[in-house]
């Protein structure tokens, strides 16, 4: 893919990515996109990594250097860059795209990076390993299925934190509803407790006039998103231990 795309070209590209619902096609798309991903999402003023890390760090009780963190669907490492800026240094990452992992590896911020397609295979970590787990930007059709959410719980320590984000623009609302039903079921089962569900109006620039909210235009409108933060309950080991449970 060519460098130096215009904003309209970036919007068309990202809009196309939102429309891919087949996982194999999506991963291939991300492999090809990886070298230009950072500059393209910067052009869209994509703020989810910063906002998610802000949300997580406000709730973590330990000093940053003491926390072991897993970045799921880590992509090129935008979340790791935000974490490092706040003093976190014990970072592990997983992603299903080899191209994205190459870019993440080049940042030099992760102690461990693994190829893992969450939803098709378990995370490559033991139960109760991490103080916090983040998944920013991969909760949508064609990426991580809602049935994989218990895997995030499985690898989180008792009392640890799980931070997730998703888009709330029209094309992702059906997925968001299914996601929230999954999150609520796990809370009702005593697996975790919700600490935060924070809507964000200016998530990133909309890719088309169909995606903007009322009263905005395609040229200046933003799509919305939401940040969720949960704390794993002490008795949640068995509840969170089975993908799709």
């Amino acid at each position: 893919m060519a460098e130096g795309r215009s904003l309209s070209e970036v919007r068309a590209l990202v809009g196309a990515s939102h429309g891919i619902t087949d996982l194999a096609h999506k991963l291939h798309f991300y492999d090809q996109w990886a070298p230009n991903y950072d500059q393209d999402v910067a052009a869209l003023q994509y703020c989810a990594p910063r906002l998610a890390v802000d949300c997580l760090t406000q709730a973590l009780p330990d000093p940053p250097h003491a926390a072991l963190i897993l970045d799921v669907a880590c992509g090129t490492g935008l979340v790791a860059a935000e974490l490092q800026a706040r003093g976190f240094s014990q970072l592990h990452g997983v992603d299903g795209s080899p191209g994205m992992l190459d870019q993440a590896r080049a940042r030099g911020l992760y102690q461990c990076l693994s190829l893992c397609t969450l939803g098709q295979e378990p995370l490559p970590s033991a139960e109760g390993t991490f103080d916090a787990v983040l998944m920013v930007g991969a909760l949508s059709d064609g990426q991580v299925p809602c049935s994989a959410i218990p895997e995030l719980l499985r690898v989180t320590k008792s009392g640890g934190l799980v931070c997730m984000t998703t888009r709330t623009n029209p094309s992702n609302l059906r997925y968001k509803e299914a996601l929230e039903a999954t999150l609520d079921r796990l809370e009702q089962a005593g697996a975790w407790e919700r600490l935060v569900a924070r809507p964000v109006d200016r998530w990133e620039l909309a890719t088309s006039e169909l995606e903007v909210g009322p009263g905005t235009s395609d040229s200046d409108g933003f799509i919305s998103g939401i940040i969720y933060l949960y704390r794993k309950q002490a008795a949640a080991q068995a509840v969170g231990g089975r993908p799709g449970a």
Side-chain angles (χ1 to χ4, degrees):
M1 295 182 182
E3 294 186 11
R5 277 184 280 264
S6 68
L7 179 57
S8 62
E9 289 172 330
V10 172
R11 293 169 99 172
L13 179 74
V14 175
S17 77
H18 290 172
I20 300 172
T21 58
D22 177 78
L23 179 59
H25 291 164
K26 182 83 86 172
L27 291 175
H28 177 71
F29 181 94
Y30 275 103
D31 278 337
Q32 300 300 308
W33 192 12
N36 301 105
Y37 179 84
D38 288 2
Q39 68 186 43
D40 286 349
V41 298
L44 289 181
Q45 302 178 46
Y46 178 57
C47 63
R50 173 177 57 82
L51 296 177
V53 171
D54 282 346
C55 182
L56 176 71
T57 55
Q58 289 167 13
L60 269 175
D62 295 325
H65 61 82
L68 180 61
I69 298 181
L70 177 64
D71 182 6
V72 179
C74 65
T76 62
L78 292 177
V79 168
E82 296 288 347
L83 287 165
Q84 187 203 42
R86 291 159 180 77
F88 295 90
S89 59
Q90 298 188 69
L91 310 178
H92 291 202
V94 299
D95 199 274
S97 162
M100 286 288 188
L101 285 175
D102 286 344
Q103 298 297 315
R105 193 169 291 110
R107 286 184 187 267
L109 300 181
Y110 294 96
Q111 282 64 58
C112 178
L113 282 167
S114 303
L115 183 66
C116 173
T117 305
L118 185 60
Q120 294 195 344
E121 58 189 324
L123 291 168
S125 302
E127 182 175 311
T129 297
F130 298 97
D131 296 290
V133 175
L134 295 100
M135 185 159 56
V136 177
L139 290 170
S140 63
D141 283 331
Q143 291 185 275
V144 176
C146 298
S147 60
I149 296 298
E151 263 297 276
L152 307 182
L153 265 170
R154 182 184 66 80
V155 301
T156 304
K157 294 177 180 178
S158 293
L161 299 173
V162 180
C163 184
M164 300 158 285
T165 73
T166 195
R167 291 179 284 113
T168 56
N169 57 316
S171 66
N172 202 50
L173 285 180
R174 186 174 65 175
Y175 181 94
K176 174 181 175 284
E177 290 174 1
L179 173 64
E180 291 193 339
T182 299
L183 303 181
D184 290 346
R185 280 196 299 271
L186 288 167
E187 186 168 28
Q188 291 162 11
W192 58 15
E193 63 171 330
R194 178 182 289 185
L195 303 180
V196 173
R198 182 176 300 160
V200 178
D201 290 336
R202 296 169 67 89
W203 195 253
E204 67 181 7
L205 283 171
T207 60
S208 79
E209 60 185 10
L210 298 177
E211 294 294 340
V212 298
T216 61
S217 69
D218 183 29
S219 61
D220 61 8
F222 282 74
I223 65 169
S224 56
I226 188 167
I227 302 166
Y228 305 100
L229 183 67
Y230 286 82
R231 177 177 286 118
K232 182 175 178 177
Q233 300 291 75
Q237 302 290 348
V239 177
R242 302 186 309 278

